[in-house]
Amino acid sequence: MLELFIDGKPVRAEKNETVLQAAVANGISIPYFCWHPRLSVPGNCRICLVEVEDEKGGNWTDIACNMPVAEGMRVLTDSDAVRAHRKAMLQLILLNHPVDCGICDKAGECALQDYHYEYSGLRSVSRDAKVRATKFHPLSERIVLDNERCILCSRCVRFTHEISKSHALGIQERGDHSLVRAVEDGRFDADPYSDNVIDLCPVGALLSRSFLYKARVWYLQATPSVCPGCERGCTVQIWHRKPEWHLSALDPRQNTAIARVTPLENPNVNGPWICNKGRDLARIFERPRAEQAMLTGVPTELSAATAAARRLVAAAKRPVALVSSWGSNEELAAFKAHLGGRFASFVKQDCRPAPGEPLEDDLLIRPDKNPNTAGARKLFGDAAPAFRNDTDLVLVWGEGFDFARLPRGAKTIVLDAYAHPDNARADVFLPVSIQTERQGHYTNFAGVVSAFEPCFPKRASVADAERLFVSLAAAVEALA
Amino acid sequence: MSGTKLLMTFPVTATSHTLADYRARGGYRALEKALNQMKPEEVTREVTASGVLGHGGAAFPVGRKWAVVKLNDGQPHYLCCNADEGEPGTFKDRWILEHDPHLLLESMLIASYALGVRHSFVYIRGEFDLPYRRLAGAVEEAYEAGYFGERILGTDFACDVVVYRGAGSYVCGEASGLITSIEGKKGYPRNRPPRLTVHGLYQRPTVVNNVETLANVAGIIARGADAYKKVGTPKSPGTQLVSISGHINRPGVYEVEYGYPLAKFLYEDCGGILGARALKALIPGGISTKVLTGAEAESLIYDHASFAKAGSSLGSGGMIVIAEGTCMVRLLQVMLRFYHHESCGQCTPCRDGMGWLHRIIDRIVAGEGVPEDIERMQAISRANDGTTICGMGDAAGYATVAILEKFRDEFDYWIAHKRSRCDGRLEVPGHA
Amino acid sequence: MKHLIAEFEALKTRFPPGSDSSLVLPCLRRIQEERGYIAEADIDGLVDYLGVPRIQIEEVLSFYTQFRRKPIGRWHLQVCHNVSCSMRGAEPILDHLARKLGVAPGQTTPDGRFTLSTVECLGSCGTAPVVVVNDAYHENTSIEQLDAFLRSLK
């Protein structure tokens, strides 16, 4: 460790750090576009330039992201020279940057906007037309690229070389005709981490097609959650409309829709990244829901169905339960506490990998495509589900059960969130809430526990599994 | 005749580039001396003692660069000879490649010996045809004669050389751009730190030296540092190969001893200005050096200190002579078009700045300039001063500022009258 | 490009071990020498042979002015229009060739014989003006000399 001074303030830093790293670690703000804590240092945007005092009087300036710290060094981040430099760099970056803010998705979370207002605020002094380039270039099926907005920071390129290792992006041509492009063999489409470049892009050059024009970011709030796509359990932010920005005139489903999903930085699990499956959580959570309790397919009130289920539970002699690996730790604990004694319980892995889905890699993706197998197995062991000849009640909680495997003569209680034709075959069907409608925790494959918060209200006709388990046990406890 | 000669010491003939001719004039004896009588560190010390400066443009003391490389550090070292010669106005390294390639190769072997280099490279610009063929031919002759490969001259010293052809990019003449190009990629220059002598080619210690710089090494070893210091001036030992072009009667490559009077060189050795015109301006060492007015130039001695005092530099020795009547606005337009074309595009000030400068000067030439344009060009140049990844941005800025400062009235005139004060002429009539 | 692999293997022997990436420029140059340009199959072949990411080759092809991915005219007339050449008559030469061939710089004549380009400094300022035809430097050239050269090609 050594000590340097930034704007007169003493700061401790590791010997091999740069001035920018030391500043970031100590909450001192120096603007940057191309630098990122997880990527190599290209030093190309030139906006992080700082001034270093020299006792002999010849102060010098250089980029902070590539400046090694030195004992006793005196760095100035807000001197006249630094301010003038930042203004000049911003002028140059904005020289050809189309002022698309009014129609650009990045507005409100754009580093260029923020720095312009903080450090410059000057009008353009150019009398010459801006250099034109491709807009709406299809970088992949998921990502659209606006080359005019691009400031050529190369974060996206470096991400594909250093993190996802798809080597799928590059910069073609040279000078101010340079263009970010994907490799021509389509490899970028197959990069399961491609969408991280959207977060990395400091401006609105790289945009998600699925989010394009959906909402202004300030209409949205980000709720912390956990991706259920695999047992890695990356923490994510689920973005949805703030109550004060709910649309009254249009389809009310807009107000309970997932606008987008982004990573929630997590040093213990996923760092700042998630895979594309996590971006597409709406595809999982916004499938048609089961909203109506049923008795052998006949719609009924939730209370009536619950009562019927309760009677089945009380009467069963050899009940078997298939417990959902999508259940939260809280739900699983409630099942264990209230029904675990009655049921021979097995953990069901609700989801199998889809055809063509990446199975496992060195980065985030894990083979078990369920979020809480670990949490479930901790309570219920890892034996594979098995029925006996005398199994007379099967409680299926969650998806992924093949009804053809049901033992003959067994009654069924099914708890599920999503509409499936098989739900009508159950003796009692109880619709339950999903992750985005409640609070809870998952335990990932390495034992790390992460929390999710509710985004949307649940329908009254749908039950919370945790409370249902208490309710179903009431008769049993009464009997005992 | 422009002072003592160290390099252009023999008449150029149809065979002077061959191994036989080179040996006949004493070739490869310096290598023998180095390998048999000197330790690698001693070679570096001799080069340092000679005070020889880089001849690619930066005039950095060669020995000081070499000394950074730690011998026996357990890792490969590389030597790259910079034969990219892309600085407009410069064509002197070519003389060595075409007429004395073995001098370069012998010097590279001596340097490789001094620096612990097993694999060396000559990065030669892709456009060069005859210089490439002569050099490649010399390499094969040298291999056949056992000067490259294993057990050179019966010693433990082994060395290979690759002639690496560029493919059309000025920034590959910048040392780190050159290295990145040899790695098989776009010639993107790199930030320092780290210095290339610590992390260069494939992240290994690498020395990049200009052709002419290296060509001096054999002579320094053969005749000793003291003999070298006797030529030139105390602060600028030795000589410079000057390529002179433009409005001069006898353009070509001349070897000029440092300390030689520039006026004498221009008017006697090179035959004076075309059409007996007055000297309007001189670009001393490639377009990236600051222009001098005729009056300023004529009073100078050809050495580093003299030119620095005049606010310019010797640069790459690429002298461009500009006669009275030449339009400096059009001249700057050509230069800015060049810089815009060659910017690699990595860093903000150069990438956006070069394009902006080019568009402004084009607009001025098209008759749509405004007075603020001059300030704007100066501001863009300032924004490139010390802020870029490599020296190209700074160079373009300095060159622009110097021309604007010394020939301001021509720019003001064009903006006010929408045309050149000199009929937009770059040629001297009757002398195209 | 597969038939060139033996040549490439020979090249490798003078390079340091583990530097296959460096072979990109020399291999591309050799392939273009034969074919006149770099074809898609050449890129694929080179990716296989050298084990470099395809994007690296695509970037190199777009960055360096001498590489091309499409064929050009049989005779590539490259006129330097940098400082010294402009001071010794490059611009009239360029205008003359453009008019004579009926193409603008960057274009190829419809019969596929000539491509006209402007290039930056060729390192031959002392013999300005200079026009490079394919690989050959035509130094101290003039409109008359170039006309004579073009006539000689018929």
Side-chain angles (χ1 to χ4, degrees):
Chain A
M1 295 290 280
L2 52 78
E3 186 182 72
L4 64 148
F5 299 89
I6 303 182
D7 299 326
K9 173 181 154 181
V11 163
R12 310 233 354 112
E14 301 286 344
K15 286 205 170 72
N16 61 353
E17 279 189 323
T18 62
V19 168
L20 183 58
Q21 284 173 318
V24 166
N26 285 274
I28 298 167
S29 74
I30 295 177
Y32 55 84
F33 291 115
C34 66
W35 182 78
H36 188 278
R38 295 293 197 110
L39 301 172
S40 62
V41 175
N44 64 46
C45 74
R46 316 309 282 186
I47 200 169
C48 70
L49 206 105
V50 292
E51 188 173 355
V52 181
E53 290 183 300
D54 188 325
E55 303 100 41
K56 293 165 225 156
N59 285 9
W60 48 281
T61 54
D62 207 344
I63 50 178
C65 63
N66 195 46
M67 186 186 285
V69 293
E71 181 69 48
M73 160 184 233
R74 308 192 71 88
V75 176
L76 303 172
T77 71
D78 198 31
S79 65
D80 288 341
V82 172
R83 288 187 191 188
H85 171 80
R86 285 180 189 157
K87 281 194 164 73
M89 289 306 113
L90 284 166
Q91 269 189 338
L92 287 161
I93 291 178
L94 287 164
L95 180 74
N96 295 313
H97 186 89
V99 188
D100 280 350
C101 305
I103 53 166
C104 175
D105 275 1
K106 200 79 175 181
E109 54 182 21
C110 172
L112 184 55
Q113 270 187 342
D114 293 343
Y115 292 156
H116 175 75
Y117 283 110
E118 186 170 353
Y119 299 115
S120 171
L122 299 172
R123 299 188 58 156
S124 171
V125 292
S126 170
R127 308 179 70 89
D128 298 285
K130 292 183 185 260
V131 171
R132 301 303 307 277
T134 35
K135 296 180 91 70
F136 297 109
H137 172 79
L139 199 65
S140 74
E141 287 180 6
R142 302 175 62 91
I143 299 177
V144 71
L145 165 62
D146 186 317
N147 285 106
E148 292 186 346
R149 298 176 190 170
C150 174
I151 62 170
L152 292 163
C153 71
S154 77
R155 277 181 170 192
C156 55
V157 173
R158 285 176 281 135
F159 176 81
T160 68
H161 287 298
E162 297 163 19
I163 308 291
S164 72
K165 309 247 168 66
S166 64
H167 305 287
L169 294 180
I171 294 177
Q172 305 273 357
E173 306 289 332
R174 62 192 200 199
D176 58 6
H177 311 293
S178 298
L179 297 168
V180 168
R181 281 290 179 270
V183 66
E184 292 162 13
D185 63 1
R187 186 178 288 241
F188 189 54
D189 272 298
D191 181 340
Y193 298 96
S194 66
D195 289 24
N196 288 296
V197 303
I198 298 169
D199 306 327
L200 284 172
C201 184
V203 298
L206 291 168
L207 298 173
S208 159
R209 280 183 195 274
S210 60
F211 181 57
L212 199 62
Y213 303 145
K214 266 212 189 129
R216 282 316 205 171
V217 297
W218 55 89
Y219 297 168
L220 308 174
Q221 64 189 41
T223 299
S225 193
V226 181
C227 173
C230 80
E231 58 178 333
R232 176 77 60 180
C234 300
T235 50
V236 295
Q237 300 183 88
I238 296 184
W239 297 75
H240 52 104
R241 283 197 175 243
K242 292 177 182 158
E244 60 266 34
W245 281 107
H246 278 184
L247 299 163
S248 51
L250 302 176
D251 189 333
R253 278 178 296 183
Q254 292 263 32
N255 298 326
T256 52
I258 293 172
R260 66 175 182 182
V261 179
T262 59
L264 176 60
E265 176 137 17
N266 187 335
N268 299 319
V269 182
N270 51 304
W273 323 120
I274 54 173
C275 78
N276 290 348
K277 187 178 183 185
R279 307 267 172 184
D280 295 342
L281 291 183
R283 289 192 200 165
I284 296 173
F285 293 138
E286 291 175 1
R287 288 177 292 157
R289 296 285 297 279
E291 289 167 348
Q292 184 69 54
M294 294 185 283
L295 294 171
T296 329
V298 176
T300 186
E301 284 295 306
L302 181 59
S303 51
T306 308
R310 198 182 302 130
R311 285 192 291 278
L312 285 178
V313 169
K317 299 209 174 30
R318 285 262 184 266
V320 167
L322 301 177
V323 163
S324 176
S325 51
W326 285 55
S328 66
N329 289 343
E330 291 76 4
E331 292 173 326
L332 292 162
F335 189 94
K336 178 90 176 174
H338 299 285
L339 298 170
R342 283 285 278 146
F343 283 82
S345 310
F346 302 93
V347 175
K348 167 171 54 69
Q349 290 184 291
D350 295 19
C351 282
R352 304 264 151 222
E357 180 178 357
L359 274 183
E360 186 175 4
D361 64 24
D362 296 329
L363 196 50
L364 294 176
I365 298 174
R366 298 278 314 167
D368 179 2
K369 305 303 181 190
N370 302 285
N372 207 11
T373 309
R377 283 187 174 156
K378 207 161 158 204
L379 293 175
F380 301 105
D382 55 11
F387 300 120
R388 295 158 45 128
N389 291 339
D390 54 355
T391 298
D392 56 353
L393 173 65
V394 176
L395 187 152
V396 179
W397 172 25
E399 300 180 276
F401 177 68
D402 182 3
F403 269 68
R405 294 187 49 208
L406 262 181
R408 276 177 168 281
K411 298 278 186 196
T412 53
I413 301 172
V414 172
L415 279 63
D416 195 7
Y418 299 101
H420 285 294
D422 282 346
N423 294 345
R425 292 167 64 175
D427 292 291
V428 179
F429 175 77
L430 297 161
V432 291
S433 61
I434 58 173
Q435 170 186 337
T436 50
E437 294 162 349
R438 52 187 156 76
Q439 198 183 44
H441 295 78
Y442 292 140
T443 305
N444 85 349
F445 77 107
V448 177
V449 178
S450 298
F452 55 86
E453 303 289 324
C455 308
F456 310 116
K458 106 182 145 58
R459 250 169 236 273
S461 62
V462 159
D464 274 326
E466 193 177 345
R467 294 179 58 168
L468 212 46
F469 298 145
V470 176
S471 184
L472 290 179
V476 176
E477 280 148 9
L479 276 183
Chain B
M1 272 293 293
S2 64
T4 308
K5 305 278 173 270
L6 296 174
L7 298 175
M8 298 174 85
T9 52
F10 56 93
V12 170
T13 68
T15 57
S16 42
H17 59 279
T18 61
L19 179 56
D21 278 30
Y22 184 65
R23 278 217 192 98
R25 46 180 192 267
Y28 287 104
R29 296 226 206 98
L31 179 63
E32 277 170 41
K33 179 178 175 186
L35 293 185
N36 293 323
Q37 296 170 35
M38 300 171 80
K39 293 208 199 69
E41 313 85 85
E42 289 171 327
V43 173
T44 301
R45 273 204 294 274
E46 197 71 14
V47 167
T48 308
S50 75
V52 63
L53 302 170
H55 285 67
F60 192 82
V62 179
R64 207 194 309 171
K65 186 187 279 188
W66 287 20
V68 178
V69 177
K70 294 187 199 348
L71 297 176
N72 304 310
D73 60 357
Q75 57 173 334
H77 305 153
Y78 298 107
L79 174 68
C80 298
C81 171
N82 188 342
D84 195 59
E85 192 146 72
E87 183 66 37
T90 318
F91 50 98
K92 48 91 179 174
D93 292 331
R94 191 181 151 176
W95 189 94
I96 296 171
L97 298 170
E98 284 178 10
H99 304 304
D100 212 359
H102 281 286
L103 177 64
L104 174 64
L105 295 177
E106 181 182 11
S107 296
M108 284 180 69
L109 285 160
I110 293 169
S112 296
Y113 174 66
L115 295 166
V117 166
R118 175 69 184 78
H119 289 93
S120 62
F121 296 84
V122 180
Y123 188 94
I124 183 170
R125 64 178 298 175
E127 295 88 342
F128 272 168
D129 178 39
L130 179 62
Y132 164 70
R133 286 187 277 118
R134 289 271 174 96
L135 179 66
V139 165
E140 293 318 307
E141 284 184 310
Y143 265 96
E144 268 189 52
Y147 292 122
F148 283 102
E150 303 283 339
R151 299 208 56 81
I152 297 170
L153 297 182
T155 69
D156 286 332
F157 177 56
C159 191
D160 277 307
V161 68
V162 168
V163 177
Y164 200 89
R165 298 187 78 178
S169 164
Y170 169 71
V171 294
C172 292
E174 198 277 344
S176 60
L178 185 153
I179 282 174
T180 311
S181 185
I182 292 181
E183 290 178 355
K185 304 173 190 157
K186 297 180 288 186
Y188 269 7
R190 305 177 186 183
N191 280 294
R192 302 349 177 246
R195 285 173 294 179
L196 302 178
T197 39
V198 176
H199 291 294
L201 182 60
Y202 316 123
Q203 296 303 309
R204 301 294 190 188
T206 303
V207 167
V208 180
N209 279 138
N210 169 263
V211 169
E212 186 189 347
T213 307
L214 285 167
N216 277 285
V217 168
I220 289 169
I221 297 304
R223 294 180 286 279
D226 288 336
Y228 189 79
K229 285 198 289 207
K230 288 199 170 74
V231 180
T233 72
K235 287 217 178 105
S236 300
T239 62
Q240 172 90 39
L241 290 186
V242 174
S243 9
I244 185 162
S245 66
H247 297 150
I248 193 80
N249 275 314
R250 290 200 288 269
V253 180
Y254 297 81
E255 186 169 10
V256 176
E257 182 177 356
Y258 290 125
Y260 195 79
L262 184 51
K264 188 163 190 279
F265 177 62
L266 293 174
Y267 292 106
E268 288 181 29
D269 299 288
C270 301
I273 318 294
L274 289 180
R277 290 193 169 208
L279 178 66
K280 176 171 187 176
L282 185 80
I283 292 174
I287 63 171
S288 300
T289 51
K290 294 186 195 174
V291 72
L292 297 162
T293 61
E296 287 172 331
E298 281 167 355
S299 66
L300 291 180
I301 298 295
Y302 194 81
D303 70 11
H304 298 88
S306 183
F307 274 63
K309 191 149 164 245
S312 186
S313 94
L314 298 185
S316 60
M319 215 174 269
I320 303 178
V321 175
I322 298 159
E324 204 56 62
T326 307
C327 179
M328 298 306 283
V329 178
R330 292 267 286 109
L331 196 80
L332 183 61
Q333 184 187 32
V334 172
M335 286 168 52
L336 294 175
R337 182 203 68 219
F338 169 75
Y339 287 122
H340 183 201
H341 184 253
E342 298 296 338
S343 171
C344 76
Q346 274 190 100
C347 69
T348 302
C350 171
R351 175 184 69 236
D352 295 304
M354 296 304 114
W356 198 358
L357 284 169
H358 184 200
R359 283 188 288 279
I360 291 174
I361 192 97
D362 273 357
R363 185 163 44 74
I364 291 174
V365 168
E368 291 160 23
V370 294
E372 298 84 77
D373 285 335
I374 307 299
E375 269 171 54
R376 186 58 44 218
M377 291 172 76
Q378 288 164 335
I380 297 167
S381 302
R382 269 197 307 276
N384 269 273
D385 186 358
T387 64
T388 51
I389 294 178
C390 83
M392 199 192 97
D394 312 67
Y398 299 148
T400 301
V401 161
I403 292 183
L404 289 175
E405 182 199 333
K406 297 187 183 178
F407 299 96
R408 177 63 181 261
D409 52 320
E410 286 188 50
F411 291 85
D412 289 339
Y413 186 95
W414 201 315
I415 288 169
H417 296 92
K418 304 188 188 310
R419 62 176 179 79
S420 168
R421 211 184 57 191
C422 322
D423 296 329
R425 202 185 290 284
L426 287 171
E427 302 122 59
V428 171
H431 290 273
Chain C
M1 58 138 278
K2 300 246 169 19
H3 63 287
L4 292 172
I5 287 188
E7 232 182 280
F8 297 160
E9 287 290 298
L11 266 184
K12 265 195 207 176
T13 58
R14 290 189 187 163
F15 278 81
S19 65
D20 280 6
S21 175
S22 290
L23 271 286
V24 169
L25 267 76
C27 290
L28 286 173
R29 177 173 281 271
R30 187 69 188 89
I31 293 167
Q32 185 169 288
E33 247 170 51
E34 271 205 356
R35 193 194 287 288
Y37 64 100
I38 308 292
E40 292 312 297
D42 295 323
I43 301 176
D44 294 327
L46 212 50
V47 169
D48 276 336
Y49 174 58
L50 296 175
V52 297
R54 194 181 209 276
I55 192 76
Q56 179 181 334
I57 297 179
E58 291 175 15
E59 286 181 325
V60 160
L61 290 173
S62 73
F63 179 86
Y64 294 97
T65 60
Q66 289 197 308
F67 290 134
R68 36 185 190 267
R69 295 177 71 165
K70 289 201 169 81
I72 55 168
R74 165 104 174 74
W75 302 101
H76 189 191
L77 307 171
Q78 301 150 82
V79 180
C80 172
H81 64 158
N82 205 290
V83 174
S84 295
C85 283
S86 292
M87 291 166 72
R88 300 304 288 250
E91 288 170 353
I93 286 176
L94 184 62
D95 289 340
H96 174 78
L97 289 172
R99 256 180 290 116
K100 191 182 179 94
L101 300 171
V103 288
Q107 294 180 338
T108 302
T109 54
D111 63 2
R113 292 189 81 213
F114 299 102
T115 296
L116 181 64
S117 296
T118 52
V119 291
E120 298 294 349
C121 183
L122 295 161
S124 197
C125 324
T127 52
V130 176
V131 173
V132 174
V133 182
N134 292 351
D135 292 325
Y137 275 44
H138 290 232
E139 301 177 51
N140 289 314
T141 193
S142 64
I143 288 173
E144 294 72 35
Q145 286 182 50
L146 288 165
D147 278 348
F149 173 75
L150 292 175
R151 276 196 301 275
S152 77
L153 297 177
K154 289 214 186 324

